Amino acid sequence: ELLAELRELEHDPSGAAARLGGYAGWLGLGLTNLVNLLAPRLVVLGDLLAALPAPVLDAVAARVRDRSMVSRAVGGTVVTRSALGRDAYLVGAAELAFGPVLESAAGA
């Protein structure tokens, strides 16, 4: 239900900003703190965060770029959504399960 609602907001930028503006502010603040602490050049949002509407994701990324001292020092930390979306867990689990099989086949 929540995922469907986020998809609907993707086509309504002003509605997305109005409904998720406060959430975007808090997410931006949390990511800013993480960027200041860990100094990554790239932050990839996955699972439910990958479904955030583009205007909300843009607002979060702008907040991180503008407010993080580390982001400004490294030329701007990129905040993006995972290309795998909600399937990231499945891909990771499959890699763990099939990794030994692939390694033994490659070494044979």
Side-chain angles (χ1 to χ4, degrees), residues 90-108:
L90 295 174
V91 173
E95 185 174 336
L96 283 174
F98 290 110
V101 173
L102 296 174
E103 287 176 10
S104 66

Side-chain angles (χ1 to χ4, degrees), residues 3-82:
L3 191 58
E5 191 172 335
L6 287 173
R7 285 187 184 134
E8 286 178 20
L9 288 174
E10 183 73 42
H11 304 293
D12 182 13
S14 61
R19 293 198 55 202
L20 299 173
Y23 177 76
W26 285 108
L27 180 59
L29 178 64
L31 289 178
T32 297
N33 287 328
L34 286 172
V35 167
N36 284 337
L37 181 66
L38 302 173
R41 291 183 181 261
L42 175 68
V43 175
V44 180
L45 301 178
D47 199 23
L48 192 58
L49 296 177
L52 287 174
V56 175
L57 183 61
D58 294 343
V60 169
R63 183 168 185 146
V64 171
R65 279 191 309 273
D66 294 343
R67 299 208 173 193
S68 169
M69 295 180 296
V70 173
S71 177
R72 289 191 303 244
V74 299
T77 300
V78 176
V79 178
T80 188
R81 62 175 51 116
S82 170

